[in-house]
Amino acid sequence: MSLEDQWIATEKRLLHEADSMAEFLQQLRSRISPQLIGDRAWEITLEHAQNLPVTVAALPFGFELPLHDSRAIADFGISVIGGGQSATFLEEKGKAEGADSSSANVAWLLSETESEESTLRRIVGRKLMLEYDIDVESHAPFPAPGIFLYPDKDVLVGGGGDQQLRDLFTVVDAVAYSANLDLSAEERRQIESVYLATKPDTWIQAVGGFPEREGGIRLSVMGFKKANEVVSFLERIGWPGECSAVAASASPLEERDAFTYMGVHLDVRANGVGETLGLNFYAREGEWLKDIQHWTPLIDGIREAGVAVPEKLTELVKWASGSEPLSGKSGQFVLMRGIHHFKLTLVHDRVEKVKGYIFLLVFAWPLTANLSK
């Protein structure tokens, strides 16, 4: 059975398990440490998830954990692929009378990739990710989620020419429209400059935007193997921070052989790339790793650097337990829990934040698809 067949079969089974994603998440609460996600953050997550279908659990979903912060808070993220039950739900919701602009924009984006002749579909397939900010201290209405598209790895490879630039701006324009971002000519020029500074062994992994955040378009550039490669790239694009701080943060982890490659997250504005830099670390080429041993050198390096709350790192190690059976109303499932990546956020000359990105994924039983370890 292919992964697509497994996903579709799981969606059908999940429809018998709960009436919403919130109801399904409640069944998983005991598996998530309250030291990582506290009760208030969990309650807000459920409020968001109440408006999502249970079938969201058939694709990777998870949490962005601020490991530098002693508070038990986390943002929430989901994946959606066009053609599935979740995509149909979101399209119908966004096209319904009285739909809010965020829902309507997500529906538009999904519809743009429906046709096999769609240029956007050729570049990004039919997948998108929604990221929900979970603010435990605000009583304001929930902000619209961030929207991310993921170009196929071999499409927006670094060092490309005019065709790659056209493809890049097809994605950028789709994200900008969906996130209500009005890009100026100067912002577009800056985005082009970032791409032209890439090398053939790197690629644009993601293009994103947040409807209610300042910061412009977010670009994610992947494939850096060594700290000096990142520094060289940042120098070429004129990052306004201290590149020596990037080297000082990444080099000790490189010496530990703690990662296979790195990625850089940049917010691109009219006056250039923003001072805030996200430096992502991936333990293996595959990004959905369910075994903690892949991450041990990196976690040890973060612990030794003293930039994260030690107790949170300990809980994170307990979290990544691999696969386990999950009993449901319609039969057996397999629940996967793992770590997707870590991110150091640098501002000018220092590490300000450390985040761990954890994921969950549910498969209908029997599990016949070939999964990475």
Side-chain angles (χ1 to χ4, degrees):
M1 182 182 290
S2 69
L3 284 174
E4 181 177 355
D5 290 338
Q6 185 69 59
W7 155 56
I8 292 172
T10 300
E11 281 197 324
K12 291 179 180 178
R13 286 273 309 281
L14 283 169
L15 290 171
H16 300 283
E17 298 300 317
D19 293 330
S20 69
M21 186 60 178
E23 185 180 331
F24 186 75
L25 278 177
Q26 287 178 313
Q27 302 174 38
L28 306 179
R29 178 54 171 147
S30 63
R31 293 171 170 83
I32 301 175
S33 168
Q35 289 182 264
L36 296 177
I37 305 177
D39 289 343
R40 179 56 183 150
W42 187 254
E43 290 171 3
I44 298 174
T45 300
L46 293 181
E47 290 181 44
H48 281 288
Q50 186 63 44
N51 298 314
L52 296 171
V54 64
T55 49
V56 164
L59 291 169
F61 64 96
F63 300 92
E64 177 184 316
L65 305 173
L67 302 175
H68 60 283
D69 194 330
S70 60
R71 296 176 299 166
I73 57 177
D75 291 337
F76 178 55
I78 66 168
S79 306
V80 182
I81 295 181
Q85 299 275 356
S86 298
T88 299
F89 177 95
L90 292 175
E91 281 199 70
E92 291 177 352
K93 178 182 177 182
K95 293 176 180 178
E97 185 177 351
D100 59 82
S101 63
S102 175
S103 298
N105 288 343
V106 169
W108 174 84
L109 196 56
L110 288 167
S111 68
E112 283 297 294
T113 61
E114 284 180 3
S115 170
E116 292 186 2
E117 305 303 317
S118 163
T119 300
L120 186 62
R121 179 168 177 170
R122 173 180 61 80
I123 302 167
V124 302
R126 303 199 68 188
K127 177 184 175 182
L128 63 85
M129 195 194 83
L130 301 177
E131 181 180 316
Y132 298 85
D133 289 340
I134 307 298
D135 189 345
V136 298
E137 297 176 355
S138 174
H139 296 287
F142 293 150
I147 298 173
F148 289 81
L149 293 179
Y150 293 83
D152 291 340
K153 182 177 177 180
D154 60 348
V155 176
L156 292 183
V157 293
D162 291 343
Q163 181 60 55
Q164 283 76 21
L165 277 172
R166 286 192 292 270
D167 288 347
L168 172 59
F169 279 104
T170 294
V171 183
V172 166
D173 289 341
V175 170
Y177 179 83
S178 301
N180 296 324
L181 302 177
D182 186 15
L183 297 183
S184 67
E186 188 58 27
E187 284 175 295
R188 297 174 70 84
R189 191 188 72 79
Q190 295 290 352
I191 292 169
E192 178 178 336
S193 295
V194 170
Y195 178 71
L196 292 177
T198 59
K199 297 288 188 179
D201 53 355
T202 61
W203 65 93
I204 302 294
Q205 185 223 29
V207 178
F210 292 87
E212 298 183 39
R213 284 192 204 174
E214 295 182 359
I217 286 289
R218 177 165 294 182
L219 294 181
S220 178
V221 185
M222 291 292 161
F224 302 99
K225 302 288 186 179
K226 297 183 179 299
N228 63 1
E229 295 175 2
V230 175
V231 169
S232 179
F233 171 69
L234 294 176
E235 290 174 343
R236 291 196 299 274
I237 64 174
W239 180 58
E242 291 290 336
C243 289
S244 59
V246 176
S249 300
S251 294
L253 299 174
E254 181 182 327
E255 292 169 4
R256 285 176 174 268
D257 196 24
F259 58 87
T260 295
Y261 68 95
M262 290 174 285
V264 171
H265 279 188
L266 300 158
D267 291 328
V268 186
R269 306 182 177 99
N271 61 348
V273 295
E275 189 178 37
T276 300
L277 171 74
L279 188 58
N280 291 1
F281 296 88
Y282 297 84
R284 294 291 183 272
E285 292 294 339
E287 295 180 2
W288 306 103
L289 303 176
K290 60 190 178 76
D291 295 323
I292 191 59
Q293 66 262 28
H294 297 308
W295 295 105
T296 300
L298 187 58
I299 292 173
D300 289 347
I302 291 172
R303 190 187 300 273
E304 187 173 296
V307 292
V309 177
E311 293 78 11
K312 281 194 169 185
L313 292 176
T314 299
E315 290 300 318
L316 194 59
V317 171
K318 295 177 184 178
W319 155 266
S321 60
S323 301
E324 62 178 289
L326 182 68
S327 296
K329 300 174 184 176
S330 62
Q332 290 294 312
F333 293 86
V334 171
L335 173 66
M336 287 177 56
R337 292 191 284 166
I339 298 172
H340 187 265
H341 70 279
F342 286 85
K343 180 169 74 174
L344 303 184
T345 299
L346 292 91
V347 180
H348 190 60
D349 61 352
R350 66 190 182 280
V351 175
E352 283 206 346
K353 299 177 182 179
V354 181
K355 294 184 178 181
Y357 291 74
I358 63 175
F359 73 89
L360 302 94
L361 179 60
V362 175
F363 282 95
W365 186 263
L367 184 61
T368 55
N370 182 24
L371 302 176
S372 63
K373 293 183 178 180

